[in-house]
Amino acid sequence: MKGKTIRIYLVDGAPTGVLTAEIINWTGKVLVAPRSQLASLAQRSEVRRTGVYCLVGQDPEVAGRERVYIGEGDNVFSRLAFHDKDESKDFWTRTILVISKDENLTKSHGRYLESRLLELARFADRATLANSTAPPTNMLPESDVADMEFFIEQLQMMLPVLGFGFLQPRPSADAPWSRGIPVESPLFEMHD
């Protein structure tokens, strides 16, 4: 695997404020903001693009576990404003917006991404999902599916760097060493 450069920009100069993150040569862009700074986020023109979003906070019912809501929208900020008034989203303290720098994400791409992110989060089981539905993965042309899967791979690389691990699969008991398959181990020698 080749190295990647992730550029994180602290919009207001504070690590706890609004930030943007990009991977060089990736068309995606991630914005992260505390819920308390939605007004600052609203000042950015790109938040009105098509994309997906995640509302993240502590699960009030399970200590030490996050709760996540994943959605999509033609104007992702309008969806945030809608959810901000929803009492069932009181757990939400941090926001993730995922858009395209080149504005080439369509409503169909957004729905595909939402469905796949929900699927990945469910499989990882690192957070409680607040979504009440599980939309099916919509049909896209084969080339668009390939592009969206690459988009998701980049997102899975970036989110843990930003402090969000809810899409990362748990280590599996299906690892080679657990099935009796010999795994080359380093040899350590001690010399006087």
Side-chain angles (χ1 to χ4, degrees):
M1 177 187 271
K2 296 181 181 180
K4 299 270 185 184
T5 299
I6 297 177
R7 183 177 19 207
I8 300 173
Y9 176 66
L10 307 177
V11 173
D12 55 7
T16 56
V18 177
L19 65 86
T20 65
E22 302 175 38
I23 296 176
I24 303 303
N25 295 325
W26 176 50
T27 62
K29 182 175 185 177
V30 176
L31 292 96
V32 176
R35 182 178 186 175
S36 61
Q37 292 189 18
L38 286 181
S40 296
L41 198 58
Q43 303 304 309
R44 303 187 62 84
S45 61
E46 70 262 44
V47 301
R48 286 168 180 61
R49 294 182 187 159
T50 299
V52 292
Y53 59 91
C54 304
L55 312 177
V56 183
Q58 290 300 306
D59 186 335
E61 297 170 12
V62 182
R65 187 170 171 93
E66 285 186 322
R67 181 174 288 216
V68 178
Y69 180 89
I70 299 171
E72 59 82 25
D74 279 331
N75 174 335
V76 287
F77 190 80
S78 70
R79 299 296 299 148
L80 295 181
F82 172 79
H83 290 306
D84 194 36
K85 299 172 187 161
D86 183 352
E87 288 182 16
S88 72
K89 307 289 186 312
D90 282 348
F91 68 90
W92 162 35
T93 58
R94 297 188 309 162
T95 307
I96 305 167
L97 297 180
V98 183
I99 57 169
S100 174
K101 291 185 277 192
D102 59 12
E103 300 185 47
N104 280 332
L105 284 181
T106 66
K107 180 73 169 176
S108 293
H109 292 135
R111 286 182 176 161
Y112 183 90
L113 291 171
E114 174 193 33
S115 176
R116 286 288 289 127
L117 293 180
L118 282 165
E119 185 179 294
L120 291 168
R122 214 172 277 109
F123 177 76
D125 193 30
R126 291 185 179 269
T128 304
L129 284 174
N131 295 67
S132 58
T133 61
T137 303
N138 63 328
M139 298 302 291
L140 288 175
E142 184 178 9
S143 59
D144 285 350
V145 169
D147 290 342
M148 291 302 96
E149 289 299 320
F150 177 76
F151 199 93
I152 290 167
E153 286 174 19
Q154 304 311 298
L155 194 55
Q156 283 183 295
M157 185 179 314
M158 183 178 289
L159 289 181
V161 172
L162 299 173
F164 301 100
F166 60 88
L167 294 181
Q168 296 302 303
R170 291 188 179 279
S172 169
D174 200 27
W177 58 85
S178 68
R179 291 179 279 143
I181 297 172
V183 176
E184 191 173 324
S185 180
L187 175 64
F188 298 97
E189 294 181 18
M190 188 174 204
H191 298 279
D192 291 334

